Amino acid sequence: MPAPKKTVASKKKAPSKPAKKALPQKKTVSTKKAAPQKTAPKKPAVKKAIVKKSAAPKPSVKKKAVTKVPAPKAKVPTPKPAPAPAKPAATKPAGKAQPPAKSAVPAKPAAAPAKPAAAPAKPVAAAAKPAISKAAVPAEKPAATAAAIPAATPKTTAAPAAATAKKPAPAAPVEVVVEAPPAPPPPVKRVPTQPLPPPGPTKSGALFYDSHMHTPLCKHAWGEPEEYAEQAVKAGLKGIIFTCHCPMPNGFWPSVRMAESEFDTYVELVQRAADAFKGRLDIRLGIESEFFPGCEEYISNLHQRADFHYVLGAVHWQAKEYLNKFETGTIENFRRTYFEHLAKSAESGLYDALAHPDLVKNYHPDSWCFAIVKNTVAGALDRIAATGVAMELNTSGLNKSYSEMNPGLEMLRMMAERKIPVVVGSDSHRSVRVGEHFVTALNNLAEAGYENVSYFLNRQRIDLPISDVLASLKKAADHNA
């Protein structure tokens, strides 16, 4: 029995020996680490412990140091106070800025509240305007003056800065009211004028005028004014009125009109032809004046630059500027917009008569149907009749894509019902078309219900019986043949 006990004891002692060996292994590891850190690890451990203990009681010490010396915060982080909320920025310097005011450092803490006040602050600038005027500071630099004033009086400016920060709303509407543009003037209406008594016929029997023709200055007409005058004599006319396309501002459709610099040349061309045909044909200066919304002031000034006998208003839907602005819906809506502008042109008071009043039927002429826009046309004609402005029967419509005079017979009847005066023009861009289709035009007027036809001299309307004009054209043409 003693033998097995010894074996058990030996087995228990065997594991204890390796356990003792494991201990020196750990000691060797600790000795390796301790070798480089015999001095360093103990000192930082003590410092960390000290920092942790001192970190809890010393935040107040740091805040006090910041309030006593706010200079670095005011100089370096200027953008930091701006994103911060306005209330903490205003309360901290407001309460702690007073003790340093006694210690000869008032300027720096005063600058700190001025900047956060400027962050919410357009209202601050508005409130500081009376103070700026008293201090004789230039108004061009409100930010600099706002900072300079609280530097001189830090206690008084801190309170209004907080007050203005709380109430920024009332200052904003004041600025908006000051900058509001004046209301546009109401549209001017041309006062209807009484027609002048008709002058007598010439020796040849001529009575009537062709009131619409062009010169080469419009870039799409051919022939000198004298050539147009010679054709007018053959056609049995008493006179002609040149109405070339007027200049326009901002490069509006420049390919079909005289340039601004050519206006005086145009006046000289017409006068040259008038002098050359004196005693044979009466030649007068007129102009085809564009109507485009927004250009009324320019056109009004243009009409004062020469002694025009006749001003013919025109809405040209073909202009790229017009299409870009108003061609936004259907074809019929675009045509309705055109007639709306025709009525507005009469109501502007700028024109004596309105050229080719249904010109828009050449916009997609294959789909033109007067019945669709008849109600729109009726409303426009009611407005035109109220102004006393005349309208043109343009014979060149027979040469356009929709081969019909402008206006057509049905619209001409509606004009006659409203007693709108009518002027006849050939719209000649070539001399051979002066007086073209005038007999047909006068017959159309009579069929529509007109008894008189008109023309203008000195911007005064002259009415003639249609029957007299027809007789004069035949007599004068035979005389001049």
Side-chain angles (χ1 to χ4, degrees), residues 244-410:
C244 207
H245 293 285
C246 71
M248 283 287 280
N250 305 319
F252 181 94
W253 202 18
S255 61
V256 297
R257 65 185 68 256
M258 70 182 79
E260 180 72 34
S261 60
E262 295 174 321
F263 180 82
D264 293 339
T265 303
Y266 169 64
V267 176
E268 292 170 2
L269 283 177
V270 176
Q271 187 59 47
R272 185 189 73 189
D275 294 340
F277 279 79
K278 189 174 182 179
R280 295 179 61 202
L281 185 75
D282 187 20
I283 298 176
R284 302 295 180 114
L285 177 68
I287 196 160
E288 184 173 3
S289 190
E290 196 79 26
F291 177 80
F292 186 77
C295 295
E296 292 87 347
E297 184 177 356
Y298 175 88
I299 293 299
S300 178
N301 294 332
L302 178 70
H303 294 171
Q304 308 305 316
R305 291 177 59 181
D307 294 328
F308 293 110
H309 283 265
Y310 180 51
V311 175
L312 182 61
V315 181
H316 287 102
W317 61 265
Q318 311 97 310
K320 290 181 181 179
E321 293 84 351
Y322 193 93
L323 290 168
N324 290 339
K325 188 170 183 178
F326 300 112
E327 192 184 25
T328 56
T330 64
I331 294 173
E332 299 307 331
N333 284 338
F334 180 77
R335 289 171 177 154
R336 291 186 179 96
T337 300
Y338 169 88
F339 286 110
E340 169 67 18
H341 290 154
L342 193 72
K344 284 186 175 181
S345 68
E347 292 169 343
S348 69
L350 295 171
Y351 312 103
D352 300 322
L354 308 181
H356 36 63
D358 66 347
L359 184 65
V360 75
K361 65 189 174 188
N362 293 286
Y363 173 76
H364 296 285
D366 54 338
S367 66
W368 170 255
C369 178
F370 184 78
I372 295 175
V373 295
K374 187 174 181 178
N375 290 337
T376 300
V377 172
L381 293 179
D382 288 340
R383 293 163 62 184
I384 294 168
T387 66
V389 174
M391 297 178 75
E392 180 190 54
L393 177 56
N394 189 303
T395 63
S396 73
L398 294 173
N399 305 315
K400 291 183 170 60
S401 56
Y402 194 92
S403 183
E404 181 182 68
M405 289 189 187
N406 302 111
L409 189 57
E410 189 170 1

Side-chain angles (χ1 to χ4, degrees), residues 206-274:
L207 273 178
F208 200 51
Y209 284 68
D210 186 341
S211 300
H212 190 168
M213 61 193 63
H214 295 268
T215 72
L217 293 176
C218 73
K219 305 178 181 66
H220 63 290
W222 296 264
E224 294 299 318
E226 290 81 1
E227 298 176 50
Y228 289 74
E230 192 64 47
Q231 177 63 28
V233 172
K234 295 177 182 177
L237 295 169
K238 181 180 181 179
I240 56 175
I241 305 176
F242 283 94
T243 53
C244 207
H245 293 285
C246 71
M248 283 287 280
N250 305 319
F252 181 94
W253 202 18
S255 61
V256 297
R257 65 185 68 256
M258 70 182 79
E260 180 72 34
S261 60
E262 295 174 321
F263 180 82
D264 293 339
T265 303
Y266 169 64
V267 176
E268 292 170 2
L269 283 177
V270 176
Q271 187 59 47
R272 185 189 73 189

Side-chain angles (χ1 to χ4, degrees), residues 54-73:
S54 60
K58 288 183 181 179
S60 60
V61 177
K62 288 182 180 180
K63 288 180 180 178
K64 288 178 183 178
V66 171
T67 53
K68 286 179 182 179
V69 189
K73 289 185 178 180

Side-chain angles (χ1 to χ4, degrees), residues 137 141-150:
V137 182
K141 296 180 180 180
T145 54
I149 291 166

